[in-house]
Amino acid sequence: MSRDLKQASKHCFYGIGSVKLPSLAVGVTRLAETAICQEEMRFGSLAAETLTARPLRALAVTVFLSVLMLPLLRTVGLRVFSMASETYTPGSLSAAFVTCPNDTVARTLARGIVENKLAACVNIVPAITSVYEWQGKIEEDSEVMLMIKTRSSKVPALAEYVRSNHPYEVAEVISLPIEQGNPPYLKWVEGVVPE
């Protein structure tokens, strides 16, 4: 092996210790250097100007690849920051459930609930089947379910609104505290429903 080839081999193995780059860029730089070194060893000699051009070429490749990665890194960073910066107190919001005899009653109740700021959103889930005991008999009915997102502090007012506007003698209104969820969505619910 010639002296120039041994020198090139040693340089390729140890990298360019003099260039200080962020850790992501270091890996890209080393990849670029390896490709350059393999190309130079293939020709069997290493000219003096190639030794000085290699760090610049590697740096240029690193900068080029970093520019390509910037939009992706920015998007990921913004999402992580958004999720970390949004604070939510577990249980301060609730998901409430109400069953209705049909779609007309469900839509009327849903619209009234949102218009009266008792909830930010009401999902209407069609065609559920309820099996229950009523006045000593087992009943089975087709119903429509409302899934309501609101503040936990609004559940008593929501239950009162449903009792006053629902055709059933005993209307179902149950709620579960929301422990966690998509922070921007939870913040939106808090913003729509006043305390």
Side-chain angles (χ1 to χ4, degrees), residues 1-7 44-45:
M1 184 181 264
S2 75
R3 187 169 193 263
D4 287 342
L5 195 53
K6 282 183 190 175
Q7 193 69 356
S45 67

Side-chain angles (χ1 to χ4, degrees), residues 114 171 189 193:
V114 174
V189 172
V193 182

Side-chain angles (χ1 to χ4, degrees), residues 109-123:
L109 279 174
R111 183 164 294 282
I113 289 167
V114 174
E115 285 174 351
N116 287 292
K117 298 283 187 187
L118 296 171
C121 176
V122 179
N123 300 111

Side-chain angles (χ1 to χ4, degrees), residues 44-194:
S45 67
L46 197 58
E49 63 248 14
T50 305
L51 283 173
T52 58
R54 182 178 341 188
L56 293 175
R57 201 176 328 161
L59 183 61
V61 169
T62 301
V63 169
F64 176 71
L65 290 175
S66 296
V67 167
L68 290 177
M69 294 287 290
L70 189 61
L72 173 66
L73 293 174
R74 183 175 184 275
T75 302
V76 170
L78 286 174
R79 285 194 181 152
V80 168
F81 177 75
S82 172
M83 290 182 76
S85 66
E86 303 289 335
T87 57
Y88 171 70
T89 304
S92 62
L93 298 178
S94 288
F97 302 90
V98 173
T99 52
C100 301
N102 56 49
D103 191 61
T104 304
V105 170
R107 286 178 187 277
T108 302
L109 279 174
R111 183 164 294 282
I113 289 167
V114 174
E115 285 174 351
N116 287 292
K117 298 283 187 187
L118 296 171
C121 176
V122 179
N123 300 111
I124 300 173
V125 182
I128 65 166
T129 301
S130 296
V131 178
Y132 57 97
E133 183 179 324
W134 181 249
Q135 299 177 342
K137 292 194 293 187
I138 303 298
E139 302 284 342
E140 184 174 319
D141 287 319
S142 181
E143 294 184 297
V144 177
M145 184 172 63
L146 303 180
M147 188 171 87
I148 305 161
K149 277 73 74 185
T150 188
R151 288 183 180 273
S152 295
S153 62
K154 290 289 188 180
V155 172
L158 171 68
E160 181 57 38
Y161 179 85
V162 171
R163 279 194 303 272
S164 299
N165 294 284
H166 203 290
Y168 286 171
E169 186 179 331
V170 178
E172 174 187 357
V173 181
I174 58 173
S175 73
L176 301 169
I178 298 172
E179 293 300 316
Q180 58 184 313
N182 180 18
Y185 180 81
L186 299 176
K187 189 170 187 68
W188 170 76
V189 172
E190 290 173 333
V192 171
V193 182

